[in-house]
């Protein structure tokens, strides 16, 4: 009785990570073009500096700057994929908990996340130095697809391996 009550009480909170991810994405999109580029440039700089030290390349400052400029666009796009992957995971798990499975999970979770990506790009049209991009929605969709299918795969494997023995014990 208490378990059922707690589950019913806590189930709606399973969407909290998704709401937090949407707020985080919205805050990143609210940054003007200079701040957004500066943040991803710093990440690119950290990656190049770490590679330089880890592989003992001893690059000059000019070479370091060149490599930062080379990877910067990829870091920006990888950030898109990563944040929408996390959004898709945080939306898919609660839907799975509520019983959405099979074909409906990628359709509902993926559709919601792609819709959010499109609205986020529209939101960027109101931010200085930023603009909407269909290409970014497509890049976001890659992360969404990986996230939704990953959740579906992990949940299927757990259901068949870990939770199946528990279900058999309950039947006896």
């Amino acid at each position: 009785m208490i378990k059922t009550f707690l589950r019913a009480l806590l189930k709606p909170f399973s969407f909290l990570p998704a709401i937090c991810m949407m707020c985080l994405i919205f805050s990143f999109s609210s940054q003007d073009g200079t701040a957004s580029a500066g943040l991803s440039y710093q990440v690119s700089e950290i990656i190049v500096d770490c590679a330089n030290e880890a592989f003992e390349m001893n690059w000059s400052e000019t070479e370091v700057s060149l490599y930062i400029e080379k990877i910067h666009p990829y870091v920006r796009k990888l950030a898109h994929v990563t944040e929408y992957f996390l959004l898709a995971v945080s939306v898919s798990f609660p839907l799975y908990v509520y019983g959405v499975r099979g074909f409906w999970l990628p359709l509902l979770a993926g559709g919601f996340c792609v819709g959010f990506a499109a609205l986020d790009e529209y939101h960027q049209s109101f931010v200085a130095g930023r603009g909407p991009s269909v290409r970014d929605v497509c890049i976001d969709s890659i992360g969404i697809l990986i996230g939704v299918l990953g959740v579906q795969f992990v949940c299927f494997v757990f259901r068949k391996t870990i939770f199946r023995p528990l279900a058999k014990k309950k039947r006896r």
Side-chain angles (χ1 to χ4, degrees):
M1 180 75 169
I2 290 180
K3 268 187 182 179
T4 308
F5 175 72
L6 283 175
R7 281 186 185 154
L9 185 68
L10 293 176
K11 253 183 162 180
F13 287 111
S14 64
F15 285 101
L16 200 56
I19 293 168
C20 290
M21 258 327 286
M22 289 188 288
C23 290
L24 182 68
I25 291 169
F26 186 82
S27 71
F28 283 146
S29 296
S30 297
Q31 295 176 338
D32 65 13
T34 307
S36 176
L39 183 62
S40 58
Y41 189 86
Q42 287 176 340
V43 172
S44 302
E45 193 172 20
I46 290 169
I47 292 169
V48 170
D49 286 342
C50 287
N52 190 20
E53 288 179 28
F55 299 115
E56 298 176 2
M57 302 301 282
N58 299 321
W59 291 326
S60 68
E61 286 298 315
T62 307
E63 289 173 312
V64 167
S65 296
L66 175 72
Y67 290 126
I68 291 170
E69 291 298 325
K70 276 187 176 182
I71 70 165
H72 184 240
Y74 300 107
V75 168
R76 288 184 69 80
K77 298 312 172 194
L78 187 59
H80 273 267
V81 171
T82 303
E83 64 189 12
Y84 279 93
F85 166 82
L86 293 172
L87 177 63
V89 168
S90 64
V91 167
S92 297
F93 269 123
L95 289 176
Y96 193 88
V97 166
Y98 274 97
V100 178
R101 300 212 166 78
F103 172 74
W104 290 104
L105 183 66
L107 188 69
L108 289 175
F112 175 81
C113 292
V114 170
F116 183 79
L119 286 173
D120 185 54
E121 287 299 319
Y122 177 69
H123 162 251
Q124 286 184 24
S125 67
F126 300 105
V127 178
R130 306 282 299 262
S133 168
V134 173
R135 183 176 180 207
D136 280 350
V137 174
C138 293
I139 291 169
D140 299 340
S141 297
I142 293 168
I144 293 166
L145 181 67
I146 294 168
V148 171
L149 294 179
V151 166
Q152 200 167 25
F153 176 75
V154 168
C155 290
F156 175 78
V157 169
F158 279 159
R159 197 174 75 226
K160 294 296 182 187
T161 58
I162 294 172
F163 296 116
R164 178 175 244 167
L166 295 175
K168 286 182 180 178
K169 285 180 186 177
K170 283 183 180 179
R171 282 189 236 156
R172 290 181 189 174

